[in-house]
């Protein structure tokens, strides 16, 4: 019996194969099988077509189970990121607003101080 790691390595190498990459359909099993057979032949490993087919089927089923979960997680991550970005934008706008408000208050206080000082000088003369 061929070690599961050999099938895993053959599968990973098959995914890099140009024939597999160029397959734009939802089912590249035949191209993957052929690439796995080529890889295992080069590695002088025993080629068992049924086991290769079973391994491809296992991986496909695992991916089919993971895809919806991964999609939901990615969607939730994106929503969380958008929410965080929106929160940062609002915080930035509020900070800018209050900085301008503080500037206006300081300016007004300076103007009032100058007026008071000018009035004191006028009354002191």
């Amino acid at each position: 019996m061929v070690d599961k790691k050999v099938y895993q390595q053959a599968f990973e190498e098959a995914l890099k194969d140009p024939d597999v990459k160029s397959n734009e359909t939802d089912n590249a099993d035949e191209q993957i099988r052929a690439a796995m057979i080529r890889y295992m032949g080069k590695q002088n490993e025993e080629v068992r077509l049924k086991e290769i087919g079973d391994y491809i089927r296992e991986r496909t089923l695992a991916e089919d189970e993971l895809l919806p979960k991964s999609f939901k997680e990615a969607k939730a991550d994106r929503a969380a990121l958008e929410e965080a970005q929106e929160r940062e934008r609002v915080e930035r706008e509020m900070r800018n607003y209050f900085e301008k408000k503080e500037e206006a208050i300081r300016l007004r206080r300076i103007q009032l101080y100058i007026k008071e000082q000018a009035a004191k000088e006028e009354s002191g003369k």
Side-chain angles (χ1 to χ4, degrees):
M1 179 171 213
V2 179
D3 186 8
K4 192 93 162 173
K5 290 180 183 178
V6 173
Y7 288 119
Q8 182 178 353
Q9 183 62 37
F11 186 84
E12 297 300 324
E13 290 299 317
L15 295 180
K16 298 174 187 174
D17 186 90
D19 290 337
V20 174
K21 284 184 173 183
S22 67
N23 184 324
E24 295 183 5
T25 67
D26 188 32
N27 189 350
D29 289 0
E30 292 305 315
Q31 287 84 3
I32 293 171
R33 180 178 288 109
M36 286 179 72
I37 291 168
R38 282 193 302 274
Y39 175 81
M40 291 175 75
K42 288 178 186 174
Q43 301 300 314
N44 294 321
E45 293 289 344
E46 183 180 354
V47 175
R48 295 187 174 189
L49 296 178
K50 183 180 180 329
E51 289 181 15
I52 290 173
D54 291 345
Y55 186 81
I56 292 170
R57 212 169 359 276
E58 283 176 27
R59 289 291 299 254
T60 301
L61 288 173
E63 287 177 3
D64 288 349
E65 289 175 12
L66 289 175
L67 280 173
K69 181 181 175 189
S70 298
F71 181 77
K72 284 181 185 176
E73 289 174 0
K75 191 174 174 183
D77 290 348
R78 182 176 179 190
L81 176 64
E82 288 173 353
E83 183 179 320
Q85 289 173 335
E86 179 63 14
R87 190 172 30 255
E88 288 174 10
R89 184 190 65 75
V90 169
E91 287 174 7
R92 197 171 39 253
E93 285 180 10
M94 289 176 64
R95 202 171 26 254
N96 288 340
Y97 171 79
F98 286 114
E99 285 173 1
K100 287 179 181 174
K101 188 82 165 165
E102 287 175 10
E103 286 176 23
I105 291 171
R106 280 192 294 253
L107 180 61
R108 181 71 181 136
R109 289 180 70 202
I110 291 169
Q111 290 170 341
L112 289 173
Y113 179 80
I114 291 172
K115 264 187 173 178
E116 285 177 14
Q117 294 304 314
K120 282 182 185 177
E121 282 187 24
E122 285 290 322
S123 63
K125 286 186 177 180

